[in-house]
Amino acid sequence: MWSVVIGYSLSVLVFLAVYYRWSRRKTNAALANMNGPPKYPLIGHLYLLKYTSQEKIFETFVELGSTYSSPMGIELGPITLVVVYQPEHLQAVLSSPHCISRPFWYDFFRVSRGIFSSPAHIWRGQRKVLNHSFGPGILNSFVSIFNEKSEILTKLMTSHVGRGERDFGHEIARAALDTIYSTAFGLNFGMQEAPEGSKYLEAQEEFIGLVLKRIFSVINYSERIYRLTKDYKREQELLSYARTLTNRIMQARNAEQILSGAIGLPSVATENTDGKKPQIFLDKLFELAVENKQQLSKEDIPEHLDTIIFAGNDTTATTMSNLLLMLAMHPDVQERVYQEIMEACPDLEQHVSMEDTAKLTYTEMVCKETMRLFPVGPLIGRIAEVDIKISDEHVIPAGSEVGCGIYMVHRDRKIWGPRAEEFNPDHFLPENISKIHPYAYLPFSGGIRNCIGVRYAWISMKIMIVHILRRYRLKTSLTMDKITLQYCILLKIGNGCRISLEERNI
């Protein structure tokens, strides 16, 4: 009897294995034509997820990119991941209308209908409407806020002058958070000085850590299994706290009354605001929720608020921290940036105008070089909804997850030269950058689903740099060869961006 059962069971398993292999024959053929590390039966490349150290995770990622050429085929059990890091391959993926949706792991952020991770059919309508919240006219109306929040930051930094090196990442993150509340939501909650600013950032950091942990724990890809873990319970506690702040935003802006029709929508302003109150991000969300409930329900709005807070806060703060470290590490570059600033807007009390930011061409080169070496999004994901041809030799099979290796293309010596890992703003001189493929530099992603806040980020960062360098000289004992990197969803410098401040004598 038992021999019959065992024999039947083995027959079923063999049949399922054969069927599984047959059903993946096209995918397997495509992957067989790609580069990649050795794989094992059944588990494929799951052994690559054995590391828990953030430094080791990133080292493995970089090592694979330097060992195997693009595209690299990875099989995580039944999941197919194709990693691309050649400009032409990146262009084929990011510019394809059939490669817009995000992979499953973006759902771990719990904002599946927000603009960060919403599926393509939802994202298209949202993006079209929300683009207006980041247009030139709207951004120009934010300049005074960028200046005000940067002034608060520089004053808070004063207490650390002459007191040795420290990482100012927390202060910069609170300034970015404070700025987002004022610009995107039209609210002044004083997040740089209020205790809840720090509490929110700590909760955000812990939540991102849980997301990263889940990404590298395949068993927890199952929502049913993950809900049984302590990590899920803690995640829900952190989300609950974040939503109390989101609810505070909604209450302060009369969201319930607007969405129920009890009061009208905020007045609509065009790109050229003509002295009207600009229609900021939250106002646009209200408009979309009222006029097109299929694209956005009122229950979706908190996810959008969480998305814009994270995307605008942590990314900007990380880039600014990296930038200050690079300036401290390269005194000659810092001096040149300072001189450019003093020519454009030398008065300590002078607000930086949009016209002033346009004059800071070398400063922009320094920002770009910092983001080349330390892109906050080192690996971004897409889903191939159809077969995507990326070259004459390679096709990404439909249904595959696609990883775009931004970090790897940013440090490719074939593109940036034999000293690609050195800090050199001259990479972005017009005569040099004109020779570079447009998809060889993607600090804000690229193609159809690029970052919606690119211009917002540029202007806010330039204004913050002006306020800091007009007042302080930056120094550090850290050198480029000592820098370690961590993958924390965003790419961060593991040593911390430790700098010291000296008051400038003007």
Side-chain angles (χ1 to χ4, degrees), residues 78-95:
I79 299 168
T80 299
L81 172 65
V82 178
V83 186
V84 294
Y85 38 97
Q86 182 176 311
E88 294 79 9
H89 297 168
L90 288 163
Q91 183 173 21
V93 168
L94 295 175
S95 63

Side-chain angles (χ1 to χ4, degrees), residues 323-391:
L323 175 59
L324 296 184
L325 181 63
M326 290 300 102
L327 289 170
M329 204 177 285
H330 301 88
D332 54 332
V333 173
Q334 181 181 171
E335 182 60 23
R336 188 169 168 185
V337 170
Y338 174 69
Q339 292 303 328
E340 183 177 69
I341 288 170
M342 297 310 287
E343 289 179 14
C345 39
D347 188 345
L348 272 179
E349 307 304 320
Q350 175 186 353
H351 270 200
V352 187
S353 68
M354 190 76 86
E355 292 73 23
D356 293 332
T357 64
K359 299 173 186 176
L360 302 176
T361 54
Y362 183 72
T363 303
E364 183 168 317
M365 288 166 56
V366 174
C367 293
K368 287 180 175 179
E369 178 68 352
T370 300
M371 288 187 283
R372 182 186 72 82
L373 290 173
F374 310 104
V376 288
L379 181 70
I380 59 175
R382 296 286 189 272
I383 297 174
E385 296 173 343
V386 300
D387 289 351
I388 306 293
K389 184 177 181 179
I390 60 174
S391 69

Side-chain angles (χ1 to χ4, degrees), residues 155 170 177 262 310 360:
K155 289 175 182 175
H170 193 72
L177 185 65
F310 169 69
L360 302 176

